[in-house]
Amino acid sequence: MEIAKRSFDAVIVGGGGAGLRAALQLAKVELRVAVVSKVFPTRSHTVSAQGGITAALGNVTEDNWHWHMYDTVKGSDYLGDQDAIEYMCRNAAQVVYELEHYGLPFSRLPNGKIYQRAFGGQSQNYGGPQATRTCGAADRTGHALLHTLYQRNIQAKTHFFDEYFAFDLVKDQQGNVLGVVVLEIETGEPIFIQASAVLLATGGAGRIYQTTSNALINTGDGLGMALRAGIPLQDMEFWQFHPTGIAGAGVLITEGVRGENGYLINKDGERFMERYASHAKDLAGRDVVARAIAVEIHEGRGCGKEGNYVLLKLDHLGPEIIKSRLPGIRELAIKFAHIDPIEEPIPVVPTCHYMMGGIPTNLHGQVVVPGTNGEEPLPGLYAIGECACVSVHGANRLGGNSLLDLVIFGRAAGNHILDYLAKERPEVTLPKDALEPARQRLARWDKKGQGEHINDIREELRRVMQAHCGVFRTQAVLEQGIKKMRQLAERLQHAVLRDQSKIFNTARVEALELENMVEVALASVISAEARKESRGAHARDDYPERDDRVWLKHSLYFKEGDRMDYKPVRLKPLTVEPFQPKVRVY
Amino acid sequence: MRFSVYRYNPETDGKPYMQDYQLDIEAGDKMLLDAILLLKAEDETLSLRRSCREGVCGSDALNINGKNGLACITPLYSLRQPIELRPLPGMPVIRDLVVDLSQFYHQYHSIKPYLINHDPEPEIERLQSPEDRAQLDGLYECILCACCSTACPSFWWNPDKFVGPAGLLQAYRFIADTRDQATNERLSDLEDPYRLFRCHSIMNCVDVCPKGLNPTKAIGKIKSLLVKRTV
């Protein structure tokens, strides 16, 4: 099998918000930049983001980025790196204005400024009254953002490889990154895309859970590529369960509903969040609200015949507010829950939503690994967005901070790549057998004969993760989870594809995706077993307290030897005083 | 439940054929996409596109019992059996339910789907009143699923020359945006017997749009702006 070759200055893997924002930074200065996406870019999962993008514009309530930073550090349960968080919050207003200038159709306030709504975990004056900080385009902000960035890339003449599936990084013996191998889905042909800089922006991996808000494409492809290239994954035990996924369907209902004064009730009609977070109530951190719902259900106060959900009430907002500010979720509730929220409350349950962990990077988006002198960047390799862990979200992400993360670090990585290409541009040659691992990975799925279907293994994986690495965790349950995941990894070795054709073979793509899902699931459950404390989204019944003395540190999982390592949290911001860890109360 | 699905794999099939499938499930709350994924679990060789499974990404547009729609938001109970699934009409078929959308995307790109504003950028947002912003409602929500353009006979005949309803809806999205300064260029670009005027207002696009948008109305507004410009 000959592998054709293409050459670019930079290749970006992933056409969601992060990848497109980075691509724009490069294409604007006429670098040859390729964006590889396994779907047409506007099908990326950014499109599903609803409520908004957080920035302290102060259009509604008095605000400044220091308060946003405090909230983000507190929201992260102090696991977030304060230098990266400062960088993100300080530049937030500027990148939001940029998006507006690009044409993003933000909703507007009567004075013509960008509309902002309240979101969970937001406060004024370091823990004071609720802030109103999340900028929205109705409740379709992700759609508006993704389409706007795609449109600007058309204008900038970015080169798109639509429906090409990237499946392996290529490095030389010195560890220099040389490019990626991709599969042209339409023809089934592999292509080597050579580039001096490779940026991974492949998004999350929420499909490893059975109940998830994530798109079917969120299979952790960049994470699998990183692990196979010897790069560790950071903080993989931290998975956000969003409090309000539609029961049964998993489709998300934005926190913006609660930001617009909607609230949760149990079967007694009680507004139960008052008991769990007396100050912020329904707008406490997502981890706090999700656990509260899980407890209500567990203690028999859930709604419905089986008592397995709670209700999100918003009919009191009135039809005008719902139609103008929450039209998208109304549409989803009607389609997926068969109720019109203007009249009835929506049945909701905690639903896997976001991966706080990912490929470790610094605040330029450079991938960093432990070296002889502490952390060292891998020259030419970058990661941004949900697949990266920079870490601005720590142990729990605040709503509205993920779209912000995408554009902040998309832009930062783009700028750093510009510098890198201008300065270093190392002369590299492709070693003779550098493409061999990729070739073998593809050839493995040409195996014929008897064997399990990939679909059975995938569905089993999702059940195992749901049962063994969910909202509440214990040692025994996690240990069983590791055992079951190892068995599944072994079973995948013997799976066989029934479809061996080349043209638009989506079964082959799903097989390669499943390999990535197995890597991500193993990393998650092994990291979770190792962390013997409760922090943010990682809640252990057997270790219910946060333990800063031992566990105020980031986890690193290495595929080779299934090994854990740790590194310190960066508690020192860039220019301001650090926020010292304290008890987290909402 | 019974299904009849369009199959074509250019590597092995001389010509397309319809394949029958049976699924032992209740419609319940399930969407059509749920059923198709169950079919695919049994028969890996069935190819289709899908992503968000909630009607916002536009991947799984199909011709369902003769009408274009998104599989992920079409309730199974609403469909008469056997449920007949075909690829979007009028486009070259790559395989099974997957069509080549190059011409659709090309037409979208051709209308310059990005904000054009030559003023220096202010250090904060450009202001826009809620009323002016409301002009974009019903336009910006398009998900580029191609249900509309591939239901349009004018687009079937001239996909290379007629912009089609999806592209024209987006053309009007930028014309209607008070922040955009290229209205005149945009109108001139569309003042063409094919690009705009192949629309004969038969409204198939409105009928099939899974987001409830109205391209015909937007096209009408472009036409009336052109008339206004000449008088």
Side-chain angles (χ1 to χ4, degrees), chain A residues 40 42-43 47-48 59 97 100-114 137-138 140 143-144 147 150-152 154-155 163 186 207 212-217 249-252 331-332 335-336 338 453-455 496-499 501-507 510 513, chain B residues 9-11 29 31 33 37 40-42 44-59 72-73 77 94-95 98 100-101 104-105 108-109 113-116 121-130 133 136 140-145 170 173-174 177 179 210-211:
Chain A
F40 181 75
T42 64
R43 324 286 185 217
V47 82
S48 290
N59 287 356
Y97 293 141
E100 194 283 324
H101 299 155
Y102 291 164
L104 199 154
F106 281 111
S107 299
R108 299 290 172 153
L109 294 161
N111 64 7
K113 291 187 168 193
I114 293 171
R140 301 188 181 98
H143 170 279
H147 281 252
Y150 178 64
Q151 292 161 350
R152 293 307 277 207
I154 294 170
Q155 187 181 26
E163 297 183 328
E186 183 174 336
R207 293 310 295 183
T212 177
S213 69
N214 280 206
L216 291 152
I217 57 172
V251 174
L252 201 76
E331 194 181 318
L332 290 173
K335 291 208 165 97
F336 287 94
H338 312 294
H453 287 243
I454 52 163
N455 189 68
V496 168
L497 279 181
R498 270 67 179 167
D499 187 351
S501 60
K502 293 188 80 135
I503 309 275
F504 224 99
N505 182 342
T506 55
E510 287 180 29
E513 287 175 337
Chain B
N9 181 345
E11 287 170 75
D29 283 348
M31 297 293 180
L33 181 63
L37 295 181
K40 185 161 175 66
E42 285 179 15
E44 269 174 16
T45 68
L46 175 62
S47 281
L48 75 150
R49 295 187 174 104
R50 80 289 179 280
S51 174
C52 76
R53 59 88 177 90
E54 58 186 26
V56 293
C57 83
S59 298
C72 61
I73 51 171
Y77 66 77
I94 296 172
R95 174 177 174 175
V98 178
D100 180 352
L101 287 170
F104 173 79
Y105 295 135
Y108 171 65
H109 292 172
Y114 38 82
L115 193 82
I116 298 174
E121 284 165 358
E123 66 269 44
I124 59 163
E125 69 264 62
R126 293 195 181 96
L127 299 182
Q128 185 174 47
S129 71
R133 167 59 182 76
L136 308 183
Y140 83 96
E141 302 93 322
C142 172
I143 59 173
L144 298 177
C145 64
Q170 287 316 294
R173 176 252 175 275
F174 288 98
D177 196 323
R179 301 171 297 172
K211 304 308 285 182

Side-chain angles (χ1 to χ4, degrees), chain A residues 26-63:
Chain A
L26 301 175
K28 276 198 301 199
V29 294
E30 296 180 352
L31 274 180
R32 290 178 316 126
V33 51
V35 174
V36 176
S37 173
K38 64 179 175 177
V39 292
F40 181 75
T42 64
R43 324 286 185 217
S44 307
H45 190 51
T46 302
V47 82
S48 290
Q50 297 173 353
I53 175 167
T54 301
L57 306 185
N59 287 356
V60 176
T61 50
E62 188 195 340
D63 212 351

Side-chain angles (χ1 to χ4, degrees), chain A residues 381-397:
Chain A
L381 184 62
Y382 296 78
I384 50 170
E386 190 169 343
C387 78
C389 184
V390 46
S391 145
V392 286
H393 309 305
N396 171 64
R397 174 172 73 75

Side-chain angles (χ1 to χ4, degrees), chain A residues 65-218:
Chain A
W65 66 261
H66 299 266
W67 300 347
H68 181 193
M69 180 182 171
Y70 167 82
D71 291 340
T72 303
V73 171
K74 177 182 170 186
S76 80
D77 221 347
Y78 300 92
L79 192 70
D81 288 334
Q82 297 196 18
D83 54 348
I85 294 176
E86 176 184 336
Y87 180 80
M88 179 175 81
C89 298
R90 189 149 47 91
N91 290 292
Q94 197 194 346
V95 297
V96 168
Y97 293 141
E98 259 172 17
L99 289 170
E100 194 283 324
H101 299 155
Y102 291 164
L104 199 154
F106 281 111
S107 299
R108 299 290 172 153
L109 294 161
N111 64 7
K113 291 187 168 193
I114 293 171
Y115 173 75
Q116 294 189 283
R117 54 164 56 105
F119 248 55
Q122 297 182 347
S123 73
Q124 300 181 66
N125 205 14
Y126 312 105
Q130 175 72 41
T132 304
R133 190 177 291 144
T134 298
C135 312
D139 56 357
R140 301 188 181 98
T141 316
H143 170 279
L145 184 147
L146 184 64
H147 281 252
T148 301
L149 287 176
Y150 178 64
Q151 292 161 350
R152 293 307 277 207
N153 274 283
I154 294 170
Q155 187 181 26
K157 299 193 169 59
T158 301
H159 194 110
F160 282 100
F161 285 81
D162 295 337
E163 297 183 328
Y164 286 70
F165 180 78
F167 62 96
D168 262 330
L169 284 171
V170 179
K171 300 200 298 183
D172 64 12
Q173 283 92 345
Q174 288 74 46
N176 291 310
V177 177
L178 306 179
V180 287
V181 185
V182 305
L183 182 74
E184 182 179 14
I185 297 174
E186 183 174 336
T187 62
E189 295 295 335
I191 300 173
F192 170 53
I193 300 184
Q194 183 167 16
S196 307
V198 174
L199 183 150
L200 299 173
T202 57
R207 293 310 295 183
I208 64 169
Y209 284 91
Q210 198 173 22
T211 301
T212 177
S213 69
N214 280 206
L216 291 152
I217 57 172
N218 290 14

Side-chain angles (χ1 to χ4, degrees), chain B residues 14 29 50 65 85 94 110 142 153 161 184 187 195:
Chain B
D29 283 348
R50 80 289 179 280
N65 281 348
L85 302 177
I94 296 172
S110 81
C142 172
K161 290 187 252 178
N184 239 332
L187 290 175
R195 284 181 67 69

